């Protein structure tokens, strides 16, 4: 949350010989929004993805992983959720209130948290089905572009991901509707 962090990083890298700077944050959105300097040729970007099933299974073993499959499908693979069995609901509620409603909403300049929540609920009720942005827009009471922007924002923050259609005819894969998980 340092003002003009991108420019300050650029000056540090350009002016201090042999300096290496590691910049991290809980939100890629935060860093991208605040580092308006492209730092071209001066940076390497890495994304830290959630724990994969393979990593989880390797860590806890095949049998424990299979026993926790339903929990992982319900509560996800956030590291804190995985390591605190029995407290998954409370941890997710805390993540939602601190990350989703404070960080994402404030960084994206979104004022209506209830719209974001309704979009997430609508998406959750359509898991496995193709999603129509028009239908969600009508359901929530906003326009199609707002739905698209919110879903794009949620995707950038790894809350949801889009799955394009699959067809043997590649031209059919360019359909407007996709599944969102």
């Amino acid at each position: 949350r340092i003002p003009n962090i991108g420019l300050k990083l650029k000056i540090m890298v350009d002016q201090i010989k042999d300096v290496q700077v590691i910049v991290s944050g809980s939100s890629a959105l935060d860093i991208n929004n605040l580092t308006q300097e492209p730092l071209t040729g001066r940076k390497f970007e890495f994304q830290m993805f959630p724990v994969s099933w393979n990593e989880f299974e390797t860590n806890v073993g095949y049998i424990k992983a299979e026993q926790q499959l339903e929990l992982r499908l319900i509560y996800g693979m956030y590291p804190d959720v995985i390591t605190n069995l029995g407290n998954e609901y409370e941890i997710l509620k805390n993540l939602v209130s601190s990350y989703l409603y404070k960080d994402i909403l404030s960084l994206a300049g979104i004022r209506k948290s209830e719209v974001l929540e309704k979009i997430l609920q609508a998406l959750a009720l359509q898991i496995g089905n193709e999603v129509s942005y028009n239908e969600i827009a009508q359901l929530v009471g906003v326009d199609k572009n707002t739905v698209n922007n919110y879903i794009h924002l949620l995707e950038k923050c790894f809350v949801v991901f889009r799955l394009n259609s699959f067809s043997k005819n590649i031209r059919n894969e360019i359909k407007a509707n996709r599944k969102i998980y």
Side-chain angles (χ1 to χ4, degrees):
R1 301 194 185 263
I2 299 170
N4 299 315
I5 186 66
L7 182 59
K8 291 174 183 171
L9 288 170
K10 182 178 179 182
I11 291 169
M12 286 173 58
V13 171
D14 288 348
Q15 298 298 319
I16 304 171
K17 195 172 184 94
D18 299 324
V19 70
Q20 281 190 342
V21 180
I22 298 174
V23 180
S24 68
S26 62
S27 172
L29 180 69
D30 187 10
I31 294 171
N32 287 338
N33 281 348
L34 297 177
T35 57
Q36 295 166 352
E37 289 293 323
L39 298 172
T40 304
R42 300 173 183 89
K43 68 174 179 175
F44 296 99
E45 290 185 15
F46 299 94
Q47 290 185 340
M48 300 294 290
F49 294 101
V51 176
S52 72
W53 182 259
N54 190 27
E55 291 171 314
F56 178 66
E57 188 179 291
T58 300
N59 189 42
V60 300
Y62 176 79
I63 293 173
K64 273 193 177 178
E66 289 298 317
Q67 290 170 342
Q68 290 186 30
L69 177 60
E70 188 174 344
L71 284 174
R72 299 293 57 91
L73 290 172
I74 294 170
Y75 296 110
M77 301 291 280
Y78 286 107
D80 208 23
V81 170
I82 292 172
T83 58
N84 290 291
L85 285 175
N87 296 321
E88 296 93 347
Y89 181 80
E90 291 80 16
I91 291 168
L92 281 179
K93 196 158 185 74
N94 184 34
L95 280 169
V96 166
S97 65
S98 65
Y99 176 66
L100 193 62
Y101 290 138
K102 289 184 184 147
D103 287 355
I104 292 178
L105 294 176
S106 67
L107 290 168
I110 296 172
R111 306 272 185 264
K112 297 181 179 179
S113 62
E114 66 277 0
V115 171
L116 182 64
E117 190 170 331
K118 285 179 183 179
I119 290 172
L120 278 169
Q121 286 175 346
L123 291 172
L125 294 171
Q126 294 186 1
I127 286 187
N129 298 317
E130 286 188 347
V131 173
S132 164
Y133 290 6
N134 287 327
E135 182 183 334
I136 292 177
Q138 288 176 339
L139 184 68
V140 175
V142 295
D143 67 56
K144 177 183 165 185
N145 290 333
T146 300
V147 170
N148 185 38
N149 291 339
Y150 278 43
I151 290 173
H152 182 70
L153 175 66
L154 290 167
E155 192 173 33
K156 283 175 62 175
C157 297
F158 302 107
V159 175
V160 301
F161 69 92
R162 300 179 217 209
L163 187 61
N164 293 331
S165 62
F166 174 77
S167 174
K168 290 183 180 181
N169 182 344
I170 296 176
R171 290 180 298 181
N172 289 339
E173 289 187 10
I174 309 173
K175 292 169 53 176
N177 292 347
R178 19 181 89 77
K179 295 180 181 182
I180 299 177
Y181 292 90

